[in-house]
Amino acid sequence: MTMNRRLSLAGLATVVDEIPAITTVVRTYKEIDITQYLAAELPLVEIREPEEIPVAELTGQRALQSLEVSLKVWFVNWGDNPLAAYEELMRLLRNKIGANFTLAGETVATWITRISPIDGTMPVFWYEMGLTMHYYLNQKDA
Amino acid sequence: MATYYGLGSKEEIMANLNTALNEIPGINFVDYQRISFSGIQPDDYPGCFINDVRVDKTRLLKDIVKNSFGVAIPGWVWADDDENLITKLNAWVELMKDKIMEDPTRGSKAYDTLITTIETDGGSRHPQGLVMLVLDIIFFSQE
C-alpha cells in the first residue's frame, strides 16, 4: 500500500473533519490569520505542515518516517470559564484519533504527544495538540 | 455558570450608566457629553456628566470585535461651611463607584467595567469639589 507524507496528512485532515463538533479544518504552511474567519466557522482545527524526520532505513528502498504535526484548535466560548469547552474538544479529538490511529490506513500509527494549556482572549480561545505520525515511505512512491 | 455576552452598543451602555447614576441617593444632576460647568446651579450639586470619550477596537474574528470603551465621569459636590470638602467628595466618589460596579455588565450589554482612574481637583475650587472617574468598559460587536 502506498504511504507518503501527502496521504498521511490528508488522512489526518479527513479523520479530524469527521468530528461533528469541528466545523472547519484548515491545512496551512504557516500560522493562519484567525481574524479572517467568522465565529460560525469555529471550532476550527489548523493543521500546520509538519517537520518530517526519518526514523529507520528499511530494506527494499523503504523508510520509516515520522511526521511531527501540530494541531491548533480554535473555539469561541462566551461563558465565564472556557475550561469545559476546552476539555470537551480535547476529549473528542483524542477519542477520534485514538479510534483511528492509522488515519484511515494512511499511517502506521499516530500518537498524541502534547496538549497545551488553553490560551486566548475572551471569547476566542485556542490550544495546541502535538501528534507524532509514523508511516512507511516507499522511496519509489514519494 | 454565568454567561456574559457583552454584545451591546455604546448607546445602550451609556443609557445604563445614566440610569445607574440617577439612582444614587441625593444626586441632583446628570447629563451627557459636557465638560464645562457653566450653567450648573447650586441646586445641581451633587451631580455628574457622563462622557463618551473613545473606543479602541481589536478584531478577534471576522465578526467579533473587542471594544475598549473609555467613559469619563466628571462629578462635583459642594461643601457647606460646616462640612469638610474632602470627606464629602470621598463619600460622593464611593457612592458613584458602588453604583457603577453594582452591575459591571451594564445590564448584560458589556463584558466588564473597570474604573481605571479617580482624579480630584486637589481642592483648587474649594468649596466646590471636582472628581473625574475614568471607566474602561469592555464590550463586543460585529464591527
Side-chain angles (χ1 to χ4, degrees):
Chain A
M1 180 174 185
T2 299
M3 286 185 178
N4 56 42
R5 172 197 179 93
R6 296 185 307 283
L7 293 174
S8 298
L9 292 170
L12 175 62
T14 299
V15 166
V16 172
D17 200 29
E18 287 172 355
I19 302 172
I22 301 296
T23 306
T24 309
V25 178
V26 177
R27 283 187 58 187
T28 177
Y29 67 96
K30 64 171 187 176
E31 199 168 321
I32 63 169
D33 180 2
I34 196 64
T35 65
Q36 297 305 305
Y37 292 87
L38 298 167
E41 295 176 289
L42 272 59
L44 179 149
V45 175
E46 181 187 338
I47 302 176
R48 309 250 188 95
E49 281 302 300
E51 179 182 15
E52 184 168 352
I53 304 166
V55 175
E57 192 68 33
L58 307 172
T59 58
Q61 292 181 307
R62 296 206 315 162
L64 181 64
Q65 300 287 101
S66 177
L67 294 172
E68 304 296 324
V69 183
S70 177
L71 304 183
K72 191 165 185 177
V73 184
W74 298 86
F75 63 98
V76 172
N77 187 270
W78 290 101
D80 61 350
N81 188 339
L83 284 179
Y86 158 65
E87 288 172 358
E88 177 62 12
L89 276 173
M90 192 199 321
R91 184 187 70 83
L92 290 171
L93 269 166
R94 291 182 85 132
N95 286 352
K96 187 66 175 178
I97 291 171
N100 298 275
F101 72 97
T102 63
L103 301 180
E106 303 297 354
T107 64
V108 174
T110 303
W111 297 272
I112 295 170
T113 55
R114 177 179 61 90
I115 296 178
S116 77
I118 190 174
D119 204 339
T121 183
M122 175 72 183
V124 182
F125 301 97
W126 60 268
Y127 70 93
E128 287 191 333
M129 182 178 271
L131 304 179
T132 294
M133 295 161 50
H134 281 186
Y135 70 93
Y136 290 124
L137 174 66
N138 184 329
Q139 306 283 11
K140 290 184 290 186
D141 293 327
Chain B
M1 183 171 71
T3 301
Y4 299 102
Y5 290 97
L7 291 171
S9 65
K10 285 200 320 180
E11 290 71 27
E12 289 170 322
I13 290 168
M14 294 287 275
N16 177 276
L17 278 171
N18 181 52
T19 300
L21 291 168
N22 268 296
E23 290 174 355
I24 297 177
I27 193 167
N28 286 319
F29 191 91
V30 180
D31 199 1
Y32 288 113
Q33 292 304 104
R34 285 176 64 172
I35 199 70
S36 169
F37 293 93
S38 64
I40 298 298
Q41 304 296 320
D43 288 345
D44 298 332
Y45 288 82
C48 67
F49 300 137
I50 309 171
N51 294 341
D52 169 349
V53 176
R54 65 180 281 164
V55 179
D56 291 310
K57 290 179 173 286
T58 303
R59 183 168 294 282
L60 300 179
L61 289 174
K62 204 167 187 176
D63 56 348
I64 296 181
V65 172
K66 180 178 178 180
N67 302 276
S68 180
F69 182 22
V71 175
I73 301 181
W76 57 87
V77 297
W78 187 275
D80 294 332
D81 291 342
D82 58 344
E83 292 177 318
N84 183 306
L85 177 58
I86 191 62
T87 302
K88 192 156 186 182
L89 189 61
N90 283 339
W92 178 237
V93 169
E94 287 305 306
L95 284 173
M96 285 202 290
K97 278 169 55 184
D98 288 346
K99 185 51 83 169
I100 289 168
M101 297 313 292
E102 237 175 46
D103 179 15
T105 73
R106 309 267 65 89
S108 294
K109 300 301 181 186
Y111 175 62
D112 198 7
T113 300
L114 306 169
I115 299 175
T116 58
T117 304
I118 301 174
E119 189 174 346
T120 73
D121 63 343
S124 60
R125 292 168 172 259
H126 190 282
Q128 181 190 53
L130 301 181
V131 63
M132 177 75 80
L133 267 66
V134 178
L135 311 183
D136 184 10
I137 301 172
I138 308 297
F139 70 97
F140 300 97
S141 60
Q142 289 194 325
E143 286 299 328

